[in-house]
Amino acid sequence: MIPIEAVLALGIVLFAIGLIGVLARKNLIVILMALELLLNGVNVVLVGFALRWGNTTGQVFALFVVMIAVAEAAVGFALMLSYFRHRETYSLDEINDLKG
Amino acid sequence: MSLLSYIPFAIFAFFGALAVGSALLMIWQRNPMHSVLYLAFTVLAIAGVFFTLQADFVGAIQIVIYAGGVVVLYVFVIIIVNLGDLKAETRKWFPRLFLWSVPGLLVLELAALVFLHPLPPPSTAPADLGLPQLSVQLLSTYLIPFEVASLLLLAAMVGAILVARKKVTHDSH
């Protein structure tokens, strides 16, 4: 039997690593990857709750999170490619203007 | 309690440690191509965690969509963007202090909230977490969110194509 505390700890640690990646890195691509890590940490917690209370609702929510993650990755990459064509940069230090 | 009953937890701990270690390596790497390989490793390890938590379908979706779709998309984008020379990412100590302490404090707060308050007791009924149960719930109780999600994916696809295409101007030919 897997204790729910272990599942929660794994989810929180994955979320924290993703948050550190989003905040501390300057490369746009790595920031998008760290966002996937945030969503995966949430998914681990949802699936663990589904197991603990014997109810598939948590798994359904995890599936919806995966759908949102895919949509986010597609739109994020499109925006990044579009910006890269304009500016030839991917570093957050050089992305400092609002007008395209 | 026999030794055999610890085997599921041992497998869970193995995959969890793999996921955490490769996630740390992922945000540590300077080269984004190395990062994306560690992301693939993390995603597969989390799929293993899902299998040990009796979420077979979510684990399969994790492998098919994340490892097979999203990670390949990342690889393609890195190839297209063609990073060239890698710049060192340095910060002064003051922003670095904030960027590491904010997630750290958030984790401490979350851990305190989760572990200091007792969770509701687990259900005593035998768990039925199979794919039939999941699919019935997905297509009856959550039918409208399911359809809305399909609309969202369509909108995201059209929007991504519109945003990422090359702008064709009339005076170019």
Side-chain angles (χ1 to χ4, degrees), chain B residues 11 14 30 44 54 59 64 69 85 91 100 104 109 118 128 137 150 152 154 157 160 169:
Chain B
I11 299 173
F14 173 71
R30 283 287 160 257
L44 290 175
Q54 300 178 27
V64 170
D85 55 334
R91 288 184 198 275
W100 285 86
E109 187 187 358
D128 183 13
Q137 197 173 23
S150 68
L152 173 76
L154 179 68
M157 191 175 74
T169 50

Side-chain angles (χ1 to χ4, degrees), chain A residues 19-42:
Chain A
L19 195 59
I20 290 173
V22 170
L23 290 178
R25 292 300 303 264
K26 290 184 176 179
N27 191 325
L28 257 183
I29 301 173
V30 181
I31 287 174
L32 281 173
M33 282 184 220
L35 271 177
E36 307 286 334
L37 215 55
L38 287 174
L39 295 166
N40 268 310
V42 174

Side-chain angles (χ1 to χ4, degrees), chain B:
Chain B
M1 198 177 231
S2 72
L3 202 60
L4 270 180
S5 62
Y6 285 109
I7 287 181
F9 181 68
I11 299 173
F12 169 81
F14 173 71
F15 281 119
L18 270 185
V20 170
S22 53
L24 279 174
L25 282 170
M26 186 197 104
I27 65 166
W28 196 262
Q29 293 293 321
R30 283 287 160 257
N31 190 336
M33 199 52 118
H34 296 171
S35 278
V36 86
L37 290 178
Y38 282 114
L39 175 71
F41 205 78
T42 312
V43 163
L44 290 175
I46 291 174
V49 168
F50 287 162
F51 288 136
T52 60
L53 293 174
Q54 300 178 27
D56 303 344
F57 186 64
V58 182
I61 287 292
Q62 176 91 358
I63 291 177
V64 170
I65 292 185
Y66 265 109
V70 175
V71 171
V72 173
L73 187 66
Y74 277 97
V75 173
F76 280 148
V77 167
I78 292 175
I79 292 172
I80 290 173
V81 168
N82 188 16
L83 299 167
D85 55 334
L86 296 166
K87 297 189 195 74
E89 301 180 16
T90 53
R91 288 184 198 275
K92 295 190 181 69
W93 66 271
F94 192 63
R96 184 178 293 179
L97 183 72
F98 273 95
L99 295 177
W100 285 86
S101 60
V102 166
L105 289 176
L106 183 79
V107 166
L108 283 182
E109 187 187 358
L110 270 179
L113 275 177
V114 167
F115 294 115
L116 293 184
H117 297 277
L119 289 166
S123 67
T124 50
D128 183 13
L129 296 173
L131 182 54
Q133 178 79 18
L134 175 66
S135 50
V136 164
Q137 197 173 23
L138 185 62
L139 292 178
S140 61
T141 313
Y142 294 100
L143 179 61
I144 292 176
F146 184 76
E147 299 292 341
V148 172
S150 68
L151 271 180
L152 173 76
L153 286 174
L154 179 68
M157 191 175 74
V158 174
I161 293 171
L162 271 180
V163 170
R165 68 174 178 172
K166 282 205 172 79
K167 301 287 187 294
V168 180
T169 50
H170 285 291
D171 53 10
S172 64
H173 57 81

